[in-house]
Amino acid sequence: ARTLRLVLGDQLSRGLTALDGAQPGEADVILMAEVAEEATHVPSSRVRIALFLSAMRHFADDLVAGGLTVDYVALDDAGNTGSLAGELTRAIARHGTRRVVMTEAGDWRVEQALIRAAAAAGVDLDIRPDTRFLCSRNDFRDWARGRRQQRMEHFYRMMRRRTGLLMADDGDSPAGARWNFDAENRKPFDAKAAGGRPPVPAGFPPDEVTRAVIRLVDARFGAHVGDTAGFDWPVTRAQALAALEDFITRRLERFGDYQDAMAAGEEVLFHARISPALNLGLLEPLEVCRRAEAAWAEGRAPLAAVEGFIRQILGWREYVRGIYWLEMPGYAATNALDATRPLPWMYWSGETDMACMAAALGQTLRTGYAHHIQRLMVTGNFALLTGTRPEEVAAWYLAVYADAVEWVELPNVQGMALHADGGRMASKPYAAGAGYISRMSDHCRGCRYDPKRPTGDGACPFNALYWDFLIRNRRRLDGNPRLALAYRSLDRMAPARVAALERQAADFLAHLDRHGSDRGFGRP
Ligand code: FAD
Ligand code: SF4
């Protein structure tokens, strides 16, 4: 082959720059490889592995149907080296090629390994920008340069202007005269006010390709979490578009209202459930934003909902990618709060008496999905308050979610959930006691703990942990103006009360360390 074109598992887009200029015939060979390393460097959920492999196989079939030549290495092919670098090296030799074309990888680790493999083989490696993103790595770097703080909100406004999404006719001010509708987008879920339970998201039962992949994954990765029996993720571009349409027509209207809500038995609420399709490349961010904007223009969804949704993709998703590529490889090792606790075992077993944690962990381990507030304010908050090591927390998030890819997972863990980056992304840690969860969910009603009690029997662990977190990290966080109020409350507390909170937290943490869970805590 004259040119070997590498397509990675999260690059399943026909418009991918690595495919620019690819011609039918033998001169251009497209290499796709299923490798064990990508499923085991953290023990990936079987749901996630099945999703990636099935989507890859469907995409390869598509390319072949379009007349292109695909060299597809399956997971169980004889000779599979188990790594992307190994497969690139083998393919270079197999095809006698001198030129490799690829699109920038999502992950720093993968890109480095491929660059090294190409150099070792002495071939010319052409790495093209990933134009599926709306802000390139370089554009982000330019934007970030010279700014003391690089807050998402400023980046997002720049991106709104640049794309024209939700802009007024002057092209400079926001539609509806406001950039931000967050204040409206914070209602707890109420089935009556919402006009009933949220519609069940469209599902896509496995076809023969997916069933074969599931058999392979279950046989090979039986010990990994994830329930493949209920697999219903979109695995083709057509299915991904149908999933998007299902969201736009049936859930977008209420997305804003219940964006931060949690409810027992409601795993998706009004969220889009499209992150896996976006991250695989089956949907492109701009088309998703434009589709939501059109729904608003047609009067089918309020501006607050559409703005809240577009902010997640045009704002957060692009922003975390920018931060990731700006800060790697150092970002993965940040630990500004010196957190050292091993990840509690309940993250893998789901066994806990804390109803909010049990709900978030249970659905995560089974389905590979939880929405943002569950990830940030329940499992993330618990890891933050307990002082769990960022490296272990990040490995968990990367393993358990169907949508997990490091460039989006890592900044959300280090920057948003754990404040491990010392405030690079978020101006304060997202630390919260039970008050937040009891306001935004109905979990506390079905919990053996009492969200109102700070100490004593049956007190919700989040309460004492919250104060203990502030006390423990006083030296690091005291100067933060956004925590001034919290520290003032702490200073007004009677010393005996402070001591009781510290004791409660210490007892809880000791129990957690011994048992990996809170099960039985505070019980004789
Ligand atoms: P919706 O709430 O409907 O939002 C729409 C889209 O916006 C999402 O599909 C996603 O593409 C984007 N989005 C929303 N929030 C974020 C965010 N904070 N950062 C980047 N993009 C966002 N998302 C991943 O795709 N992969 C991950 O590995 C991942 N790990 C996370 C880890 C932690 C600790 C936290 C707090 C968040 C993480 N997120 C991750 C972000 C977010 O939780 C998911 O994108 C979202 O829950 C996916 O569900 P949805 O499609 O229903 O999202
Ligand atoms: Fe979670 Fe505490 Fe409420 Fe129980 S009482 S659901 S642990 S916040």
Side-chain angles (χ1 to χ4, degrees):
R2 208 153 20 93
T3 306
L4 192 61
R5 295 170 186 269
L6 179 61
V7 173
L8 301 172
D10 59 354
Q11 298 185 333
L12 311 180
S13 315
R14 284 308 291 259
L16 192 75
T17 47
L19 296 171
D20 275 357
Q23 299 292 332
E26 295 303 314
D28 278 301
V29 172
I30 296 158
L31 173 66
M32 294 180 70
E34 303 177 351
V35 296
E37 185 177 65
E38 297 308 307
T40 56
H41 76 100
V42 294
S44 234
S45 165
R46 280 184 277 155
V47 175
R48 178 180 179 277
I49 308 173
L51 171 67
F52 269 73
L53 299 192
S54 174
M56 285 172 72
R57 291 183 182 193
H58 280 97
F59 187 73
D61 289 347
D62 237 38
L63 294 177
V64 171
L68 295 169
T69 305
V70 179
D71 179 1
Y72 195 95
V73 182
L75 189 71
D76 50 359
D77 279 357
N80 187 327
T81 55
S83 76
L84 287 167
E87 286 317 291
L88 178 61
T89 307
R90 278 206 317 149
I92 289 169
R94 194 160 59 236
H95 298 286
T97 192
R98 308 292 317 146
R99 178 165 181 259
V100 174
V101 172
M102 68 176 279
T103 295
E104 313 173 306
D107 282 12
W108 187 86
R109 170 186 59 85
V110 168
E111 195 167 285
Q112 293 298 311
L114 292 170
I115 291 171
R116 277 197 305 272
V123 297
D124 172 36
L125 177 63
D126 174 7
I127 304 185
R128 300 179 176 176
D130 191 340
T131 52
R132 298 171 304 168
F133 290 95
L134 298 164
C135 182
S136 70
R137 292 184 195 169
N138 280 339
D139 282 2
F140 190 88
R141 202 164 269 127
D142 288 345
W143 173 80
R145 193 173 293 140
R147 276 169 196 270
R148 196 172 53 81
Q149 285 188 324
Q150 294 129 22
R151 295 288 179 232
M152 199 294 288
E153 186 67 30
H154 301 132
F155 171 78
Y156 169 63
R157 291 179 191 184
M158 183 272 288
M159 292 300 288
R160 287 268 296 275
R161 288 201 172 94
R162 201 158 119 178
T163 56
L165 279 160
L166 297 182
M167 296 301 289
D169 291 339
D170 66 6
D172 197 50
S173 43
R178 275 167 65 191
W179 292 106
N180 188 321
F181 289 82
D182 271 357
E184 265 116 287
N185 292 347
R186 278 187 196 132
K187 298 189 180 68
F189 177 64
D190 169 355
K192 239 200 252 132
R197 283 189 57 182
V200 176
F204 304 88
D207 61 3
E208 192 35 59
V209 173
T210 306
R211 286 198 296 271
V213 161
I214 287 176
R215 284 192 295 274
L216 175 67
V217 170
D218 286 346
R220 187 91 185 252
F221 306 104
H224 294 204
V225 300
D227 175 13
T228 47
F231 187 97
D232 70 345
W233 291 100
V235 292
T236 63
R237 164 102 179 128
Q239 289 178 347
L241 284 169
L244 173 62
E245 216 40 42
D246 174 62
F247 165 69
I248 297 280
T249 52
R250 295 167 70 223
R251 300 194 297 282
L252 173 61
E253 190 186 349
R254 306 213 185 285
F255 174 87
D257 282 348
Y258 305 117
Q259 193 176 343
D260 287 358
M262 293 176 280
E266 302 294 351
E267 299 187 343
V268 179
L269 282 166
F270 296 91
H271 290 272
R273 203 178 179 262
I274 56 165
S275 45
L278 271 167
N279 295 350
L280 288 165
L282 301 178
L283 291 174
E284 296 207 10
L286 186 60
E287 72 181 338
V288 173
C289 293
R290 290 249 183 267
R291 186 65 196 89
E293 184 188 42
W296 166 65
E298 291 156 12
R300 295 206 285 165
L303 182 56
V306 174
E307 189 283 311
F309 178 69
I310 288 180
R311 160 186 299 272
Q312 304 310 313
I313 296 175
L314 181 67
W316 281 111
R317 188 170 186 273
E318 296 287 326
Y319 173 79
V320 299
R321 176 178 183 260
I323 293 283
Y324 176 83
W325 280 100
L326 200 58
E327 297 297 323
M328 280 303 277
Y331 205 67
T334 54
N335 188 4
L337 301 181
D338 294 326
T340 55
R341 184 173 308 281
L343 186 75
W345 180 246
M346 68 160 93
Y347 279 80
W348 292 109
S349 70
E351 287 176 11
T352 163
D353 286 343
M354 303 169 77
C356 54
M357 287 286 283
L361 292 171
Q363 79 173 75
T364 295
L365 295 170
R366 191 166 33 78
T367 69
Y369 179 85
H371 61 74
H372 186 65
I373 291 299
Q374 295 178 295
R375 298 188 207 195
L376 182 65
M377 299 307 294
V378 181
T379 48
N381 185 29
F382 189 75
L384 170 73
L385 298 185
T386 53
T388 301
R389 266 182 73 208
E391 209 181 321
E392 294 193 33
V393 179
W396 183 80
Y397 278 96
L398 193 56
V400 296
Y401 287 106
D403 61 21
V405 283
E406 195 187 61
W407 62 264
V408 48
E409 170 267 341
L410 195 67
N412 271 294
V413 171
Q414 307 289 106
M416 299 294 286
L418 300 185
H419 209 69
D421 66 354
R424 179 90 171 68
M425 274 180 66
S427 54
K428 71 169 187 129
Y430 281 88
Y436 180 88
I437 295 170
S438 81
R439 193 163 61 249
M440 294 312 298
S441 83
D442 58 0
H443 288 307
C444 301
R445 261 186 272 152
C447 186
R448 92 155 156 101
Y449 297 109
D450 180 347
K452 297 226 169 55
R453 293 192 69 157
T455 52
D457 274 356
C460 171
F462 275 113
N463 292 326
L465 287 175
Y466 171 75
W467 291 111
D468 185 59
F469 169 81
L470 289 179
I471 296 166
R472 251 190 298 130
N473 290 292
R474 181 146 206 165
R475 195 171 46 76
R476 301 179 187 90
L477 300 174
D478 210 2
N480 187 322
R482 296 195 60 196
L483 292 175
L485 207 66
Y487 277 113
R488 227 173 307 140
S489 315
L490 186 64
D491 289 339
R492 274 199 305 263
M493 277 182 202
R497 177 134 190 255
V498 175
L501 285 167
E502 287 187 291
R503 209 162 43 240
Q504 178 89 10
D507 285 351
F508 180 83
L509 291 171
H511 183 96
L512 187 66
D513 287 343
R514 264 198 310 279
H515 304 282
S517 154
D518 61 307
R519 279 274 160 93
F521 172 69
R523 286 184 164 161

